Amino acid sequence: MSDSAAMASVFRSGLLDGQVALVTGGGTGIGFGIAELLAELGAHVVIASRKPAHLEAALAALTSRGHKASAVSLDVRDPERVTAVVREIATQYGRIDLLVNNAAGNFYAPSATLSPNAWRSVVEIDLFGTFYCSQAVYPIMAAQGGGRIVSTSMTLHYRGWPMMAHATAAKAGVDALTRTLSVEWAPQRIRVNAIAPGPIPTEGVRKAFMPPADSGIPDRFAAAEDRMAEYARTGIPLGRWGAPRDIANMVAFLASPAGDWITGAIFVVDGGEWLAKATT
Ligand code: HXC
């Protein structure tokens, strides 16, 4: 059972019955956690990913539990493919109620030597991809009388985050896009919001906390766990790392009738981490 599945749902069963949701980057990590909760609440979830192996495993995990789910191969950087996939989903399932722009690319690299292609790759996945997918669902949501878009942002651009010029610039763009589209598409009753997740222990995070191979520490994995526990105690005011379900809960809330009067908002879900950093 995944971390997120271990946390029982606070939402009523059948809350999202009849809804169709598209989750980009839905095969792993936070995206899968979101897909999992939406499906548990009754939505038909279409997970999209560039990587077939991720799709197969995620789809098997969802369908084996009796959830309604399907998978589609998609690189959000390709606007024509995005449009085709979105049309296909609408034709097949009759509607799209929720788009979760979760697909993201990221790595630490010094800005001075970041290649044009490296810059472009991250900005295209995080920002252009969010725009292409949002634009593609617009006509479908407008024609059906409304819909919800939830994009994944971050908090690192609130202060500046060295070695991450590409991702911070892209996510600042996602914030701007969220606010602009929310106002522009409100007449069509399309609610557009974003979530800025705090630290969720992905593989990348675990690696970042691991002592270097030449450190002489015999059990580097155990050392990484100790360091992560220490970070939770000292760096996260609410005292623990996040889980995909923490983010998924906010998506489910926004997808539910409780989100009816919410648009243009960017929700920080981070245990207080960024504010604590801002005071140090
Ligand atoms: C410098 C790098 C690099 C690195 C890739 N590049 N990694 N440059 N340092 N560590 C450069 C490559 O050399 C290449 O430029 C260009 O980026 C594109 O690389 P490709 O591997 O060809 O691209 P692609 O296969 O499209 O992969 C996209 C990617 C990759 C973004 C580069 O990292 C990826 O697929 N990531 C998806 C998974 C991921 O990152 N998830 C994290 C999301 S979490 P040249 O010039 O050589 O052609 C998140 C929250 C952040 O976003 C919170 C962090 C604390």
Side-chain angles (χ1 to χ4, degrees), residues 48-113:
S49 167
R50 268 187 300 157
K51 300 180 180 144
H54 290 173
L55 286 175
E56 278 164 34
L59 191 60
L62 293 175
T63 52
S64 68
R65 278 184 265 146
H67 296 322
K68 296 183 283 294
S70 44
V72 63
S73 152
L74 176 66
D75 187 337
V76 297
R77 291 173 286 192
D78 178 347
E80 284 168 14
R81 172 85 183 134
V82 166
T83 307
V85 161
V86 162
R87 280 194 190 142
E88 216 174 284
I89 295 168
T91 305
Q92 200 165 350
Y93 304 106
R95 53 191 300 112
I96 300 179
D97 299 279
L98 173 67
L99 162 68
V100 183
N101 285 308
N102 168 78
N106 198 16
F107 50 79
Y108 281 98
S111 301
T113 55

Side-chain angles (χ1 to χ4, degrees), residues 180-195:
T180 295
L181 296 183
S182 71
V183 178
E184 199 174 322
W185 294 351
Q188 288 75 29
R189 301 295 179 259
I190 301 171
R191 284 86 169 164
V192 187
N193 295 291
I195 300 173

Side-chain angles (χ1 to χ4, degrees), residues 191-227:
R191 284 86 169 164
V192 187
N193 295 291
I195 300 173
I200 312 279
T202 56
E203 275 315 295
V205 169
R206 287 184 196 285
K207 260 187 218 151
F209 274 79
M210 197 170 296
D214 61 3
S215 61
I217 296 174
D219 190 343
R220 291 164 58 233
F221 289 91
E225 290 300 322
D226 287 348
R227 288 175 175 193

Side-chain angles (χ1 to χ4, degrees), residues 30 50-51 75 77 102-110 113-119 121-122 125-126 152-154 156 161 164 166-167 171 197-199 202 205:
I30 297 175
R50 268 187 300 157
K51 300 180 180 144
D75 187 337
R77 291 173 286 192
N102 168 78
N106 198 16
F107 50 79
Y108 281 98
T113 55
L114 196 62
S115 75
N117 193 34
W119 165 264
S121 296
V122 171
I125 297 170
D126 294 13
T152 306
S153 184
M154 59 162 58
L156 304 183
W161 199 258
M164 223 179 258
H166 42 8
K171 295 293 189 176
T202 56
V205 169

